[in-house]
Amino acid sequence: MYTICYTKSMNNYKITVQYNGKNYSGWQIQDGKDTIEGRLSIAIKAVTGKDIKVVGSGRTDAGVSAIAQVANFLLDADWDCQKLIKAINAHLPNDIAVLDVQLAEEDFNARFSAKTKTYNYYFYVSSERNPILDQFALQVKYAEIFNMQSACKYLIGTKDYKSFVARNSGKTDFTRTIYSAEINQVKDNLYVFEICGNGFLYNMVRIIMGTLISVGEGKITPIDIQNIIKSKDRTKAGKTVPAVGLMLKCVSYK
Amino acid sequence: MYTICYTKSMNNYKITVQYNGKNYSGWQIQDGKDTIEGRLSIAIKAVTGKDIKVVGSGRTDAGVSAIAQVANFLLDADWDCQKLIKAINAHLPNDIAVLDVQLAEEDFNARFSAKTKTYNYYFYVSSERNPILDQFALQVKYAEIFNMQSACKYLIGTKDYKSFVARNSGKTDFTRTIYSAEINQVKDNLYVFEICGNGFLYNMVRIIMGTLISVGEGKITPIDIQNIIKSKDRTKAGKTVPAVGLMLKCVSYK
């Protein structure tokens, strides 16, 4: 006589999600608010019949979009990944879509396993509104792009970025590592600021962008970025630019 | 004794307009419809107090956008061009903006003086919806871009393009000259089809794009484009793709 014992562990699905955040109160589920996490949970429940917790790589703020946000969820059912993409997408609104589903290792956690995040901020330079670009980019009336590009190098490194955090962040550790920061021309008067780091503080990318715009406008010089970081004083940095141009581009894992 | 005689002619203002056409019933004024020409006329009246006729380089269809549409209007008042831009824009909704105003020659007519028009059609290749790109580009689930690019050369020349016109166009002369046609990668999976010609028939760019997509999908070969043009038969060409990806890029004058 013998007994066969086995434990069926939960399947851990890693999903890649793209969304236009314009009409949402950000990623995180909040009572009475329409959120990306909320919409995904509803769609996954509609497909699987289960109440599951979707773990995102991080929260994106109200109005912020994502080209490839990563999340994961545990499910005690076997689903073919390709079928799961189609099934979930059928229950999502047009401005949210699952691009990919993969079966991940048991211990994969979209938040804690994340190594780097890359954000893009799109802006265009024009004295007049450009209604087509306004859909996903910020208007900057005047900018010396070369100076903004020069300023980027001062952002790189492991530093205390307290100057670039919203005052109500609730954090006490402001040290992060920025691996790269650059501004590239996309097409004509459209540019993108791309920044990659091991993590970002609340509103950090938007405050950095506002500060780079001050450089572009000639209000401060590129090297002033160094002094602003050293000051650890939010009031020395530029404005928090609107969410419209901000997109989480990708999240990398080991 | 002598008499000084002079005739103050009207000022002819040439304007460049950008719009996101999504929420409009096209360029041309129509009763009870919200149109770009209608909105411009209202704004110019609010500024100048005059009922003026705005002449566009051509009509764009419902939902079609323009990066730089050109129009002109006559005005019996002297306005500084820069002030006119700001004043008109203050009376336009966010999805329409005047980018430039120039004083033109008396005989300039945005429609009849136009030499070439260039249209862009944006599309992206992905098995899943991309909500960010969906704002201004068409999803194509699968496409051999190289074959689409090869097909473009058969579009160029002075030809009878009857195969590429909507059946209700009301036209009898289908001969147009296409100066260039190409497909370029914008970024990642996003592509743009750019076509420049001396004029375009009703729905022509959208039917050509639909036919190129048939090439990309492998339903027809690049050289079939030649046979489709020769057939002068709309049913041989591809589908009329949606307005979403279409933008009037620019209009050139002598």
Side-chain angles (χ1 to χ4, degrees):
Chain A
M1 197 180 93
Y2 63 94
T3 311
I4 299 174
C5 289
Y6 72 96
T7 310
K8 176 73 183 85
S9 61
M10 305 273 266
N11 284 322
N12 190 1
Y13 290 100
K14 176 187 177 190
I15 65 173
T16 306
V17 188
Q18 182 170 113
Y19 47 87
N20 175 357
K22 195 165 59 184
N23 299 320
Y24 297 92
S25 301
W27 169 268
Q28 195 182 24
I29 287 185
Q30 300 161 69
D31 276 347
K33 298 277 179 80
D34 197 3
T35 66
I36 312 295
E37 185 191 347
R39 290 290 189 144
L40 279 168
S41 303
I42 291 165
I44 295 169
K45 181 165 187 180
V47 169
T48 65
K50 322 252 178 191
D51 276 308
I52 56 95
K53 168 69 186 162
V54 182
V55 178
S57 76
R59 309 166 191 175
T60 51
D61 291 346
V64 176
S65 296
I67 299 169
Q69 164 72 294
V70 176
N72 75 295
F73 61 88
L74 298 169
L75 191 66
D76 57 356
D78 288 322
W79 271 84
D80 171 79
C81 291
Q82 288 306 309
K83 282 191 184 149
L84 205 48
I85 296 175
K86 305 283 178 204
I88 299 172
N89 281 343
H91 291 276
L92 284 172
N94 285 337
D95 45 13
I96 308 176
V98 174
L99 301 185
D100 192 45
V101 173
Q102 305 270 347
L103 212 46
E105 301 287 310
E106 248 177 280
D107 62 348
F108 174 79
N109 178 292
R111 182 171 171 205
F112 296 112
S113 310
K115 293 293 164 216
T116 71
K117 283 180 197 165
T118 304
Y119 278 94
N120 280 170
Y121 196 97
Y122 285 84
F123 65 98
Y124 67 93
V125 183
S126 170
S127 59
E128 303 307 323
R129 287 185 288 109
N130 284 197
I132 292 174
L133 300 180
D134 280 342
Q135 295 175 92
F136 60 88
L138 178 74
Q139 180 191 356
V140 177
K141 293 198 175 179
Y142 171 82
E144 287 287 350
I145 296 292
F146 179 76
N147 286 344
M148 295 174 75
Q149 288 169 325
S150 301
C152 285
K153 62 176 171 289
Y154 301 111
L155 295 166
I156 297 166
T158 301
K159 298 173 201 271
D160 181 317
Y161 292 99
K162 195 178 173 191
S163 301
F164 297 136
V165 66
R167 265 156 291 192
N168 55 350
S169 78
K171 297 269 175 173
T172 52
D173 176 14
F174 305 105
T175 301
R176 298 290 183 276
T177 300
I178 300 299
Y179 300 109
S180 66
E182 52 186 49
I183 289 173
N184 292 304
Q185 186 181 27
V186 180
K187 208 180 175 200
D188 305 328
N189 62 339
L190 178 66
Y191 296 86
V192 62
F193 169 55
E194 181 160 316
I195 186 164
C196 173
N198 67 349
F200 291 90
L201 298 159
Y202 187 50
N203 279 354
M204 180 170 163
V205 180
R206 288 159 66 179
I207 297 169
I208 289 177
M209 188 72 235
T211 310
L212 289 174
I213 289 170
S214 295
V215 173
E217 292 169 338
K219 291 177 186 162
I220 57 173
T221 63
I223 205 170
D224 284 337
I225 296 286
Q226 212 168 30
N227 304 324
I228 291 167
I229 294 171
K230 278 186 197 150
S231 75
K232 297 181 196 173
D233 178 356
R234 169 69 187 90
T235 68
K236 297 279 188 283
K239 277 187 281 199
T240 306
V241 291
V244 62
L246 187 59
M247 292 184 206
L248 174 60
K249 186 191 182 191
C250 57
V251 187
S252 77
Y253 295 90
K254 243 196 294 209
Chain B
M1 195 183 95
Y2 62 93
T3 312
I4 299 173
C5 288
Y6 72 97
T7 310
K8 176 69 184 86
S9 62
M10 307 272 266
N11 284 323
N12 190 1
Y13 290 101
K14 176 188 176 189
I15 65 172
T16 306
V17 188
Q18 182 170 114
Y19 48 87
N20 175 358
K22 195 165 58 182
N23 299 319
Y24 296 93
S25 303
W27 170 268
Q28 194 183 25
I29 287 186
Q30 301 160 69
D31 276 348
K33 297 276 178 83
D34 197 2
T35 66
I36 312 295
E37 185 191 348
R39 291 289 189 144
L40 280 168
S41 304
I42 292 166
I44 295 169
K45 181 165 187 180
V47 170
T48 65
K50 322 252 179 195
D51 277 306
I52 58 94
K53 168 70 187 161
V54 182
V55 178
S57 75
R59 310 166 190 173
T60 50
D61 293 345
V64 176
S65 296
I67 299 169
Q69 164 74 293
V70 176
N72 75 297
F73 62 88
L74 298 168
L75 190 66
D76 58 355
D78 288 322
W79 270 84
D80 172 78
C81 291
Q82 289 306 309
K83 282 189 184 150
L84 206 47
I85 297 175
K86 305 282 178 205
I88 299 172
N89 281 342
H91 290 277
L92 284 172
N94 284 337
D95 45 10
I96 307 176
V98 174
L99 301 185
D100 192 46
V101 173
Q102 304 271 345
L103 213 46
E105 301 287 312
E106 248 178 280
D107 62 349
F108 174 79
N109 178 294
R111 182 172 171 201
F112 296 113
S113 309
K115 292 294 162 215
T116 71
K117 283 180 198 164
T118 304
Y119 278 94
N120 280 170
Y121 196 98
Y122 286 84
F123 64 98
Y124 67 92
V125 184
S126 169
S127 59
E128 304 307 321
R129 287 187 287 110
N130 283 197
I132 292 174
L133 301 179
D134 280 341
Q135 294 175 94
F136 60 87
L138 178 74
Q139 180 193 355
V140 177
K141 293 199 174 179
Y142 170 82
E144 286 287 349
I145 296 293
F146 179 78
N147 286 343
M148 295 174 75
Q149 287 170 325
S150 302
C152 285
K153 61 176 172 289
Y154 300 111
L155 295 166
I156 297 166
T158 300
K159 299 173 200 270
D160 181 317
Y161 292 98
K162 195 177 172 192
S163 302
F164 297 135
V165 65
R167 264 156 290 189
N168 55 348
S169 79
K171 297 268 176 178
T172 52
D173 176 14
F174 305 106
T175 300
R176 297 291 183 277
T177 299
I178 300 300
Y179 300 108
S180 65
E182 53 187 47
I183 288 173
N184 292 305
Q185 186 181 26
V186 179
K187 208 179 174 200
D188 305 327
N189 62 338
L190 178 66
Y191 296 86
V192 62
F193 169 56
E194 181 160 316
I195 186 164
C196 173
N198 66 350
F200 290 91
L201 299 159
Y202 185 52
N203 279 354
M204 181 169 161
V205 181
R206 288 159 66 180
I207 297 168
I208 289 176
M209 189 71 234
T211 310
L212 289 174
I213 290 170
S214 294
V215 172
E217 293 170 336
K219 291 178 184 162
I220 57 172
T221 63
I223 205 168
D224 284 337
I225 296 285
Q226 211 169 30
N227 304 323
I228 290 167
I229 294 171
K230 278 186 195 151
S231 74
K232 298 179 194 173
D233 178 357
R234 169 69 187 91
T235 66
K236 297 279 189 282
K239 278 187 280 198
T240 306
V241 291
V244 62
L246 187 59
M247 293 186 205
L248 173 61
K249 186 190 181 190
C250 56
V251 188
S252 78
Y253 296 90
K254 243 197 290 212

